[in-house]
Amino acid sequence: MISSIAELISDRIGTMPAGERRAAQTLIANYPLTGLKTVAEFSAAAGVSSPTILRFVARLGFQNYPEFQSALQDELAAQLQSPASRTLDPSSTGGAVSPMLEATLDNMRETFRHLSDKQLADIAARLAERRGKTFLIGGRFTDPLARYMAAHLAIIQPDVYHLAGQESIWRDRLIDMGKRDVLVIFDIRRYQESLVRFAEKAHHRGVQIILFTDQWLSPIARFARHVIAGRTAVPSAWDSSAALFVVAETLIGAVTRQLEAAGAKRIRDLESLR
Amino acid sequence: MISSIAELISDRIGTMPAGERRAAQTLIANYPLTGLKTVAEFSAAAGVSSPTILRFVARLGFQNYPEFQSALQDELAAQLQSPASRTLDPSSTGGAVSPMLEATLDNMRETFRHLSDKQLADIAARLAERRGKTFLIGGRFTDPLARYMAAHLAIIQPDVYHLAGQESIWRDRLIDMGKRDVLVIFDIRRYQESLVRFAEKAHHRGVQIILFTDQWLSPIARFARHVIAGRTAVPSAWDSSAALFVVAETLIGAVTRQLEAAGAKRIRDLESLR
DNA sequence: CAAAATACGTAACATACGATACAGCGCTCC
DNA sequence: GGAGCGCTGTATCGTATGTTACGTATTTTG
């Protein structure tokens, strides 16, 4: 049963030649707006020629382009009249994907429910005050999150370092850390021994630790000044770091806002360096 | 302050002559669909003549009919991109949580709404079939996502490589790529020249490209076999990659499920290696 | 009540839009 | 490696669309 044109497309997109597939993808990307424009605009957006667009709609089973547009408009009309039914109710998608998404969304709500605005503001403030250096590090699967956060923070303020590579390398960086510095650690199950040892040593040197972990709390929590506990359970073989990722983005945004004045100047300076 | 065209109309409907008022009313009645149709259809629906419609849109301040339609489409685009689902479930979040989170949740729902189960299943199947090698690479801020995905995929199957470091390094890896291989690219605004060039060359070598991008589609979409367009807009100075992150996790889960038998054995082997 | 002004529709016009024919190119399959 | 097929873009064509001019109807005002 094919109800919407979007389904029709994703059903046949596999059998389409390259050019028409581009058309399909650009249409899906911001559905259904591109389809309401003229053939010329559609083709320009997709980077193909007009005839390809027409062949595309022909393959979908429409006699001509206006007929295709009418179908899109009808669909849009039905959709606008019942706005509530449009926002993804769990039953409509049905497939194996939906439970994963639902669980992830729940995780985020839960994570933020246990996270007060004040707590986030405090952490952001600590990251924004430029007394010392900021170091970031993560575990096997969470190190990309540390990288992601470092990439953003490094733009709006100086002295941001992501600790990468072999353990011996970042262990030696301990020598540079002191009580004015901040260490952001990502560590979820199964907690890594090496990270715990590293955190302990940093803690003894007076470094303030901000820990991103799961709801069962990494042993590093003992040494941490701030602990962010995210929900990670999803119906999959793996744990999900998505909630922690969103917290990280939220913090990045908050820090950016606090450093607005200084940060804006810094960004301009960076731009001029290219 | 007049924001939407609907407001503009209801603001001036009092000063309009009878015919144009009928036009206004029929447009408001099922807004904005009637305005997207042709002048002839609009006039028929309103029971007036074509020139009356044109005089109507002229009175609203538009130079010509196409300009009026474009304005309607822009409005519709903005509306579709940020669904007002906030009003739907204020209960679940419990009140004044950061607008950042709400926007992120919306982005995810929207992203998955434009993403069919079949599409995801196709991509997962392509990643699971072990004919060739799998390469992953990302842009300035999205490379951590590539890393994250690579870290997981590399555990359940062989020949998974994350392309890191300087451009010249991964450019040389092109020599190892062929038509049996898959290249996963993350690229959101502002799109990186180097990535586009790399994608183009890989494409010419017959490599199948799976692209993670934003709703405005990186130019790499021209070469991509599969395109995943995620929503990135959040109330922050930065774009959000969270939706793409969740799609990545979903794919990781799907691939893992498909490789369950082979993957489980591989994981056991890995365990015994420690 | 008359006269003017405004509003509206009919009909002709020009533009630009969608459709089609054709040629070049790349790809696949012997 | 060569022949065949299928896909894609360029150029051209017919037409539907938006636009305008003009005449008639309707309302408004002195």
Side-chain angles (χ1 to χ4, degrees), chain A residues 170-208:
Chain A
W170 37 265
R171 202 176 41 209
D172 290 349
R173 297 296 298 271
L174 274 170
I175 195 89
D176 299 327
M177 303 186 190
K179 47 187 57 174
R180 310 167 76 85
D181 301 329
V182 177
L183 174 61
V184 180
I185 306 185
F186 292 79
D187 189 35
I188 65 175
R189 288 191 309 184
R190 296 137 55 171
Y191 312 115
Q192 282 178 232
E193 262 307 316
S194 56
L195 275 183
V196 179
R197 285 196 305 270
F198 185 73
E200 185 171 8
K201 282 173 190 150
H203 175 65
H204 277 124
R205 294 185 66 87
V207 180
Q208 281 200 14

mmCIF file of all heavy atoms in Angstrom, chain A residues 170-208:
data_model
loop_
_atom_site.group_PDB
_atom_site.id
_atom_site.type_symbol
_atom_site.label_atom_id
_atom_site.label_comp_id
_atom_site.label_asym_id
_atom_site.label_seq_id
_atom_site.Cartn_x
_atom_site.Cartn_y
_atom_site.Cartn_z
ATOM 1 N N TRP A 170 49.088 11.185 26.037
ATOM 2 C CA TRP A 170 48.316 12.133 26.848
ATOM 3 C C TRP A 170 48.641 12.004 28.331
ATOM 4 O O TRP A 170 48.411 12.918 29.096
ATOM 5 C CB TRP A 170 46.813 12.056 26.590
ATOM 6 C CG TRP A 170 46.168 10.732 26.335
ATOM 7 C CD1 TRP A 170 45.906 10.183 25.125
ATOM 8 C CD2 TRP A 170 45.661 9.808 27.300
ATOM 9 N NE1 TRP A 170 45.271 8.982 25.259
ATOM 10 C CE2 TRP A 170 45.099 8.717 26.590
ATOM 11 C CE3 TRP A 170 45.609 9.782 28.700
ATOM 12 C CZ2 TRP A 170 44.511 7.633 27.215
ATOM 13 C CZ3 TRP A 170 45.011 8.702 29.329
ATOM 14 C CH2 TRP A 170 44.475 7.634 28.595
ATOM 15 N N ARG A 171 49.190 10.867 28.747
ATOM 16 C CA ARG A 171 49.588 10.756 30.147
ATOM 17 C C ARG A 171 50.691 11.767 30.447
ATOM 18 O O ARG A 171 50.744 12.367 31.508
ATOM 19 C CB ARG A 171 50.061 9.341 30.446
ATOM 20 C CG ARG A 171 49.982 8.968 31.922
ATOM 21 C CD ARG A 171 50.375 7.525 32.104
ATOM 22 N NE ARG A 171 51.515 7.182 31.250
ATOM 23 C CZ ARG A 171 51.717 5.953 30.772
ATOM 24 N NH1 ARG A 171 50.879 4.978 31.031
ATOM 25 N NH2 ARG A 171 52.768 5.704 30.019
ATOM 26 N N ASP A 172 51.558 11.966 29.476
ATOM 27 C CA ASP A 172 52.647 12.912 29.672
ATOM 28 C C ASP A 172 52.172 14.357 29.724
ATOM 29 O O ASP A 172 52.862 15.228 30.246
ATOM 30 C CB ASP A 172 53.685 12.765 28.551
ATOM 31 C CG ASP A 172 54.457 11.459 28.676
ATOM 32 O OD1 ASP A 172 54.322 10.805 29.735
ATOM 33 O OD2 ASP A 172 55.173 11.094 27.735
ATOM 34 N N ARG A 173 50.981 14.573 29.187
ATOM 35 C CA ARG A 173 50.463 15.945 29.214
ATOM 36 C C ARG A 173 50.058 16.373 30.614
ATOM 37 O O ARG A 173 49.757 17.540 30.872
ATOM 38 C CB ARG A 173 49.266 16.073 28.270
ATOM 39 C CG ARG A 173 49.605 15.829 26.818
ATOM 40 C CD ARG A 173 50.566 16.860 26.286
ATOM 41 N NE ARG A 173 50.027 18.215 26.309
ATOM 42 C CZ ARG A 173 49.330 18.723 25.306
ATOM 43 N NH1 ARG A 173 49.104 18.036 24.230
ATOM 44 N NH2 ARG A 173 48.858 19.948 25.392
ATOM 45 N N LEU A 174 49.973 15.416 31.515
ATOM 46 C CA LEU A 174 49.608 15.725 32.908
ATOM 47 C C LEU A 174 50.510 16.808 33.480
ATOM 48 O O LEU A 174 50.097 17.612 34.315
ATOM 49 C CB LEU A 174 49.709 14.460 33.764
ATOM 50 C CG LEU A 174 48.480 13.546 33.809
ATOM 51 C CD1 LEU A 174 48.813 12.239 34.475
ATOM 52 C CD2 LEU A 174 47.329 14.248 34.510
ATOM 53 N N ILE A 175 51.731 16.783 33.031
ATOM 54 C CA ILE A 175 52.721 17.723 33.559
ATOM 55 C C ILE A 175 52.301 19.171 33.349
ATOM 56 O O ILE A 175 52.670 20.062 34.105
ATOM 57 C CB ILE A 175 54.097 17.451 32.875
ATOM 58 C CG1 ILE A 175 55.222 18.142 33.659
ATOM 59 C CG2 ILE A 175 54.090 17.929 31.440
ATOM 60 C CD1 ILE A 175 55.789 17.276 34.732
ATOM 61 N N ASP A 176 51.469 19.378 32.295
ATOM 62 C CA ASP A 176 51.054 20.748 31.974
ATOM 63 C C ASP A 176 49.807 21.174 32.739
ATOM 64 O O ASP A 176 49.351 22.300 32.607
ATOM 65 C CB ASP A 176 50.769 20.870 30.476
ATOM 66 C CG ASP A 176 52.003 20.556 29.652
ATOM 67 O OD1 ASP A 176 53.106 20.863 30.130
ATOM 68 O OD2 ASP A 176 51.845 20.017 28.541
ATOM 69 N N MET A 177 49.211 20.236 33.492
ATOM 70 C CA MET A 177 47.909 20.551 34.077
ATOM 71 C C MET A 177 48.033 20.987 35.531
ATOM 72 O O MET A 177 48.805 20.431 36.303
ATOM 73 C CB MET A 177 46.995 19.313 34.012
ATOM 74 C CG MET A 177 46.818 18.776 32.603
ATOM 75 S SD MET A 177 45.604 17.452 32.537
ATOM 76 C CE MET A 177 45.866 16.851 30.869
ATOM 77 N N GLY A 178 47.215 21.983 35.879
ATOM 78 C CA GLY A 178 47.245 22.486 37.239
ATOM 79 C C GLY A 178 45.854 22.816 37.736
ATOM 80 O O GLY A 178 44.852 22.519 37.068
ATOM 81 N N LYS A 179 45.745 23.463 38.862
ATOM 82 C CA LYS A 179 44.445 23.672 39.491
ATOM 83 C C LYS A 179 43.611 24.738 38.796
ATOM 84 O O LYS A 179 42.455 24.921 39.123
ATOM 85 C CB LYS A 179 44.639 24.018 40.980
ATOM 86 C CG LYS A 179 45.675 25.062 41.273
ATOM 87 C CD LYS A 179 45.874 25.168 42.790
ATOM 88 C CE LYS A 179 46.276 23.839 43.417
ATOM 89 N NZ LYS A 179 46.613 23.951 44.853
ATOM 90 N N ARG A 180 44.217 25.446 37.880
ATOM 91 C CA ARG A 180 43.426 26.435 37.135
ATOM 92 C C ARG A 180 42.796 25.807 35.904
ATOM 93 O O ARG A 180 42.039 26.462 35.195
ATOM 94 C CB ARG A 180 44.312 27.596 36.707
ATOM 95 C CG ARG A 180 45.151 28.187 37.844
ATOM 96 C CD ARG A 180 46.222 29.103 37.287
ATOM 97 N NE ARG A 180 45.666 30.380 36.861
ATOM 98 C CZ ARG A 180 45.482 31.403 37.691
ATOM 99 N NH1 ARG A 180 45.791 31.295 38.947
ATOM 100 N NH2 ARG A 180 44.990 32.541 37.238
ATOM 101 N N ASP A 181 43.126 24.552 35.629
ATOM 102 C CA ASP A 181 42.701 23.931 34.365
ATOM 103 C C ASP A 181 41.457 23.070 34.540
ATOM 104 O O ASP A 181 41.089 22.666 35.637
ATOM 105 C CB ASP A 181 43.838 23.081 33.810
ATOM 106 C CG ASP A 181 45.093 23.905 33.557
ATOM 107 O OD1 ASP A 181 44.943 25.102 33.245
ATOM 108 O OD2 ASP A 181 46.196 23.353 33.676
ATOM 109 N N VAL A 182 40.833 22.796 33.389
ATOM 110 C CA VAL A 182 39.621 21.975 33.356
ATOM 111 C C VAL A 182 39.864 20.762 32.474
ATOM 112 O O VAL A 182 40.471 20.873 31.401
ATOM 113 C CB VAL A 182 38.417 22.772 32.804
ATOM 114 C CG1 VAL A 182 37.191 21.885 32.706
ATOM 115 C CG2 VAL A 182 38.134 23.972 33.682
ATOM 116 N N LEU A 183 39.384 19.605 32.919
ATOM 117 C CA LEU A 183 39.499 18.380 32.125
ATOM 118 C C LEU A 183 38.102 17.825 31.892
ATOM 119 O O LEU A 183 37.376 17.509 32.841
ATOM 120 C CB LEU A 183 40.363 17.353 32.863
ATOM 121 C CG LEU A 183 40.461 15.966 32.242
ATOM 122 C CD1 LEU A 183 41.062 16.033 30.852
ATOM 123 C CD2 LEU A 183 41.285 15.037 33.124
ATOM 124 N N VAL A 184 37.719 17.747 30.643
ATOM 125 C CA VAL A 184 36.414 17.187 30.291
ATOM 126 C C VAL A 184 36.623 15.740 29.863
ATOM 127 O O VAL A 184 37.370 15.469 28.914
ATOM 128 C CB VAL A 184 35.746 17.983 29.147
ATOM 129 C CG1 VAL A 184 34.398 17.383 28.807
ATOM 130 C CG2 VAL A 184 35.600 19.448 29.533
ATOM 131 N N ILE A 185 35.972 14.827 30.547
ATOM 132 C CA ILE A 185 36.142 13.401 30.241
ATOM 133 C C ILE A 185 34.809 12.785 29.839
ATOM 134 O O ILE A 185 33.783 13.021 30.478
ATOM 135 C CB ILE A 185 36.689 12.635 31.465
ATOM 136 C CG1 ILE A 185 37.975 13.294 31.981
ATOM 137 C CG2 ILE A 185 36.950 11.182 31.113
ATOM 138 C CD1 ILE A 185 38.618 12.532 33.107
ATOM 139 N N PHE A 186 34.824 12.005 28.778
ATOM 140 C CA PHE A 186 33.671 11.201 28.381
ATOM 141 C C PHE A 186 33.990 9.748 28.706
ATOM 142 O O PHE A 186 34.980 9.207 28.223
ATOM 143 C CB PHE A 186 33.391 11.348 26.886
ATOM 144 C CG PHE A 186 32.904 12.708 26.490
ATOM 145 C CD1 PHE A 186 33.775 13.779 26.342
ATOM 146 C CD2 PHE A 186 31.559 12.930 26.269
ATOM 147 C CE1 PHE A 186 33.323 15.035 25.972
ATOM 148 C CE2 PHE A 186 31.090 14.188 25.892
ATOM 149 C CZ PHE A 186 31.977 15.238 25.747
ATOM 150 N N ASP A 187 33.140 9.125 29.493
ATOM 151 C CA ASP A 187 33.398 7.726 29.843
ATOM 152 C C ASP A 187 32.093 7.015 30.164
ATOM 153 O O ASP A 187 31.449 7.299 31.164
ATOM 154 C CB ASP A 187 34.345 7.653 31.053
ATOM 155 C CG ASP A 187 34.814 6.225 31.321
ATOM 156 O OD1 ASP A 187 34.995 5.481 30.337
ATOM 157 O OD2 ASP A 187 34.988 5.872 32.501
ATOM 158 N N ILE A 188 31.722 6.089 29.303
ATOM 159 C CA ILE A 188 30.533 5.279 29.564
ATOM 160 C C ILE A 188 30.950 3.813 29.604
ATOM 161 O O ILE A 188 32.106 3.475 29.342
ATOM 162 C CB ILE A 188 29.453 5.491 28.482
ATOM 163 C CG1 ILE A 188 29.942 4.992 27.131
ATOM 164 C CG2 ILE A 188 29.067 6.957 28.392
ATOM 165 C CD1 ILE A 188 28.891 5.069 26.047
ATOM 166 N N ARG A 189 30.022 2.963 29.983
ATOM 167 C CA ARG A 189 30.362 1.536 30.076
ATOM 168 C C ARG A 189 30.921 1.041 28.740
ATOM 169 O O ARG A 189 30.456 1.463 27.688
ATOM 170 C CB ARG A 189 29.119 0.709 30.393
ATOM 171 C CG ARG A 189 28.608 0.872 31.800
ATOM 172 C CD ARG A 189 27.567 -0.169 32.054
ATOM 173 N NE ARG A 189 26.549 -0.182 30.995
ATOM 174 C CZ ARG A 189 25.480 -0.967 31.027
ATOM 175 N NH1 ARG A 189 25.268 -1.786 32.033
ATOM 176 N NH2 ARG A 189 24.602 -0.938 30.050
ATOM 177 N N ARG A 190 31.811 0.060 28.707
ATOM 178 C CA ARG A 190 32.492 -0.390 29.912
ATOM 179 C C ARG A 190 33.659 0.512 30.186
ATOM 180 O O ARG A 190 34.451 0.751 29.298
ATOM 181 C CB ARG A 190 32.952 -1.818 29.681
ATOM 182 C CG ARG A 190 31.757 -2.755 29.499
ATOM 183 C CD ARG A 190 31.936 -3.721 28.425
ATOM 184 N NE ARG A 190 33.175 -4.510 28.604
ATOM 185 C CZ ARG A 190 33.430 -5.555 27.847
ATOM 186 N NH1 ARG A 190 32.597 -5.951 26.920
ATOM 187 N NH2 ARG A 190 34.546 -6.210 28.009
ATOM 188 N N TYR A 191 33.661 1.023 31.413
ATOM 189 C CA TYR A 191 34.590 2.089 31.791
ATOM 190 C C TYR A 191 36.038 1.639 31.600
ATOM 191 O O TYR A 191 36.403 0.524 31.913
ATOM 192 C CB TYR A 191 34.333 2.489 33.239
ATOM 193 C CG TYR A 191 32.875 2.706 33.516
ATOM 194 C CD1 TYR A 191 32.184 1.889 34.393
ATOM 195 C CD2 TYR A 191 32.158 3.701 32.860
ATOM 196 C CE1 TYR A 191 30.839 2.069 34.644
ATOM 197 C CE2 TYR A 191 30.807 3.887 33.095
ATOM 198 C CZ TYR A 191 30.158 3.065 33.988
ATOM 199 O OH TYR A 191 28.830 3.238 34.212
ATOM 200 N N GLN A 192 36.832 2.569 31.077
ATOM 201 C CA GLN A 192 38.201 2.201 30.747
ATOM 202 C C GLN A 192 39.155 2.490 31.897
ATOM 203 O O GLN A 192 39.220 3.614 32.395
ATOM 204 C CB GLN A 192 38.645 2.955 29.494
ATOM 205 C CG GLN A 192 38.096 2.355 28.224
ATOM 206 C CD GLN A 192 38.504 3.124 26.986
ATOM 207 O OE1 GLN A 192 37.664 3.491 26.180
ATOM 208 N NE2 GLN A 192 39.814 3.361 26.868
ATOM 209 N N GLU A 193 39.896 1.467 32.271
ATOM 210 C CA GLU A 193 40.886 1.576 33.343
ATOM 211 C C GLU A 193 41.827 2.765 33.130
ATOM 212 O O GLU A 193 42.084 3.547 34.047
ATOM 213 C CB GLU A 193 41.715 0.280 33.402
ATOM 214 C CG GLU A 193 41.244 -0.695 34.458
ATOM 215 C CD GLU A 193 41.158 -0.033 35.827
ATOM 216 O OE1 GLU A 193 42.087 0.703 36.188
ATOM 217 O OE2 GLU A 193 40.132 -0.215 36.507
ATOM 218 N N SER A 194 42.307 2.875 31.904
ATOM 219 C CA SER A 194 43.301 3.907 31.622
ATOM 220 C C SER A 194 42.742 5.297 31.899
ATOM 221 O O SER A 194 43.443 6.163 32.432
ATOM 222 C CB SER A 194 43.749 3.807 30.166
ATOM 223 O OG SER A 194 42.629 3.896 29.302
ATOM 224 N N LEU A 195 41.457 5.499 31.575
ATOM 225 C CA LEU A 195 40.851 6.802 31.804
ATOM 226 C C LEU A 195 40.711 7.088 33.288
ATOM 227 O O LEU A 195 40.942 8.214 33.744
ATOM 228 C CB LEU A 195 39.474 6.865 31.132
ATOM 229 C CG LEU A 195 39.453 7.245 29.646
ATOM 230 C CD1 LEU A 195 38.034 7.334 29.154
ATOM 231 C CD2 LEU A 195 40.167 8.568 29.435
ATOM 232 N N VAL A 196 40.346 6.044 34.034
ATOM 233 C CA VAL A 196 40.179 6.230 35.479
ATOM 234 C C VAL A 196 41.509 6.639 36.106
ATOM 235 O O VAL A 196 41.582 7.576 36.907
ATOM 236 C CB VAL A 196 39.651 4.942 36.129
ATOM 237 C CG1 VAL A 196 39.495 5.137 37.633
ATOM 238 C CG2 VAL A 196 38.321 4.540 35.505
ATOM 239 N N ARG A 197 42.552 5.929 35.742
ATOM 240 C CA ARG A 197 43.878 6.268 36.278
ATOM 241 C C ARG A 197 44.252 7.702 35.919
ATOM 242 O O ARG A 197 44.727 8.474 36.754
ATOM 243 C CB ARG A 197 44.933 5.303 35.710
ATOM 244 C CG ARG A 197 44.921 3.915 36.307
ATOM 245 C CD ARG A 197 46.222 3.182 35.971
ATOM 246 N NE ARG A 197 46.482 3.137 34.543
ATOM 247 C CZ ARG A 197 46.066 2.157 33.729
ATOM 248 N NH1 ARG A 197 45.377 1.146 34.231
ATOM 249 N NH2 ARG A 197 46.347 2.188 32.456
ATOM 250 N N PHE A 198 44.005 8.043 34.678
ATOM 251 C CA PHE A 198 44.338 9.391 34.219
ATOM 252 C C PHE A 198 43.565 10.441 35.012
ATOM 253 O O PHE A 198 44.129 11.447 35.462
ATOM 254 C CB PHE A 198 44.016 9.504 32.726
ATOM 255 C CG PHE A 198 44.418 10.805 32.113
ATOM 256 C CD1 PHE A 198 45.757 11.092 31.872
ATOM 257 C CD2 PHE A 198 43.474 11.751 31.768
ATOM 258 C CE1 PHE A 198 46.129 12.286 31.293
ATOM 259 C CE2 PHE A 198 43.841 12.951 31.188
ATOM 260 C CZ PHE A 198 45.173 13.224 30.957
ATOM 261 N N ALA A 199 42.281 10.185 35.198
ATOM 262 C CA ALA A 199 41.439 11.132 35.936
ATOM 263 C C ALA A 199 41.935 11.289 37.369
ATOM 264 O O ALA A 199 41.970 12.401 37.913
ATOM 265 C CB ALA A 199 39.991 10.659 35.916
ATOM 266 N N GLU A 200 42.304 10.170 37.970
ATOM 267 C CA GLU A 200 42.761 10.229 39.360
ATOM 268 C C GLU A 200 44.011 11.100 39.490
ATOM 269 O O GLU A 200 44.108 11.955 40.374
ATOM 270 C CB GLU A 200 43.051 8.808 39.867
ATOM 271 C CG GLU A 200 43.413 8.767 41.334
ATOM 272 C CD GLU A 200 43.484 7.347 41.868
ATOM 273 O OE1 GLU A 200 43.401 6.411 41.043
ATOM 274 O OE2 GLU A 200 43.621 7.186 43.087
ATOM 275 N N LYS A 201 44.933 10.896 38.589
ATOM 276 C CA LYS A 201 46.175 11.674 38.652
ATOM 277 C C LYS A 201 45.888 13.155 38.399
ATOM 278 O O LYS A 201 46.448 14.028 39.087
ATOM 279 C CB LYS A 201 47.166 11.157 37.604
ATOM 280 C CG LYS A 201 47.859 9.873 38.043
ATOM 281 C CD LYS A 201 48.694 9.280 36.927
ATOM 282 C CE LYS A 201 49.182 7.899 37.294
ATOM 283 N NZ LYS A 201 49.340 7.031 36.101
ATOM 284 N N ALA A 202 45.042 13.416 37.447
ATOM 285 C CA ALA A 202 44.705 14.809 37.165
ATOM 286 C C ALA A 202 44.049 15.440 38.384
ATOM 287 O O ALA A 202 44.338 16.589 38.739
ATOM 288 C CB ALA A 202 43.778 14.883 35.956
ATOM 289 N N HIS A 203 43.175 14.674 39.003
ATOM 290 C CA HIS A 203 42.481 15.175 40.185
ATOM 291 C C HIS A 203 43.476 15.542 41.287
ATOM 292 O O HIS A 203 43.341 16.575 41.958
ATOM 293 C CB HIS A 203 41.518 14.103 40.691
ATOM 294 C CG HIS A 203 40.829 14.472 41.972
ATOM 295 N ND1 HIS A 203 39.948 15.526 42.076
ATOM 296 C CD2 HIS A 203 40.904 13.927 43.206
ATOM 297 C CE1 HIS A 203 39.505 15.612 43.316
ATOM 298 N NE2 HIS A 203 40.063 14.654 44.033
ATOM 299 N N HIS A 204 44.483 14.698 41.472
ATOM 300 C CA HIS A 204 45.478 14.969 42.505
ATOM 301 C C HIS A 204 46.292 16.214 42.202
ATOM 302 O O HIS A 204 46.845 16.836 43.104
ATOM 303 C CB HIS A 204 46.409 13.751 42.687
ATOM 304 C CG HIS A 204 45.816 12.724 43.580
ATOM 305 N ND1 HIS A 204 45.625 11.404 43.198
ATOM 306 C CD2 HIS A 204 45.339 12.805 44.851
ATOM 307 C CE1 HIS A 204 45.065 10.745 44.181
ATOM 308 N NE2 HIS A 204 44.875 11.560 45.197
ATOM 309 N N ARG A 205 46.365 16.542 40.945
ATOM 310 C CA ARG A 205 47.084 17.758 40.592
ATOM 311 C C ARG A 205 46.192 18.992 40.711
ATOM 312 O O ARG A 205 46.597 20.092 40.396
ATOM 313 C CB ARG A 205 47.622 17.662 39.167
ATOM 314 C CG ARG A 205 48.705 16.595 38.999
ATOM 315 C CD ARG A 205 49.273 16.635 37.585
ATOM 316 N NE ARG A 205 49.993 17.878 37.341
ATOM 317 C CZ ARG A 205 51.271 18.074 37.633
ATOM 318 N NH1 ARG A 205 51.969 17.102 38.182
ATOM 319 N NH2 ARG A 205 51.861 19.219 37.388
ATOM 320 N N GLY A 206 44.938 18.769 41.141
ATOM 321 C CA GLY A 206 44.049 19.902 41.360
ATOM 322 C C GLY A 206 43.212 20.294 40.160
ATOM 323 O O GLY A 206 42.530 21.316 40.179
ATOM 324 N N VAL A 207 43.266 19.496 39.117
ATOM 325 C CA VAL A 207 42.495 19.802 37.912
ATOM 326 C C VAL A 207 41.003 19.578 38.178
ATOM 327 O O VAL A 207 40.626 18.580 38.792
ATOM 328 C CB VAL A 207 42.943 18.905 36.742
ATOM 329 C CG1 VAL A 207 42.148 19.223 35.488
ATOM 330 C CG2 VAL A 207 44.425 19.077 36.488
ATOM 331 N N GLN A 208 40.187 20.509 37.716
ATOM 332 C CA GLN A 208 38.738 20.336 37.858
ATOM 333 C C GLN A 208 38.218 19.460 36.736
ATOM 334 O O GLN A 208 38.452 19.742 35.559
ATOM 335 C CB GLN A 208 38.050 21.691 37.835
ATOM 336 C CG GLN A 208 38.145 22.425 39.163
ATOM 337 C CD GLN A 208 37.073 23.497 39.289
ATOM 338 O OE1 GLN A 208 36.124 23.517 38.508
ATOM 339 N NE2 GLN A 208 37.224 24.359 40.276
#
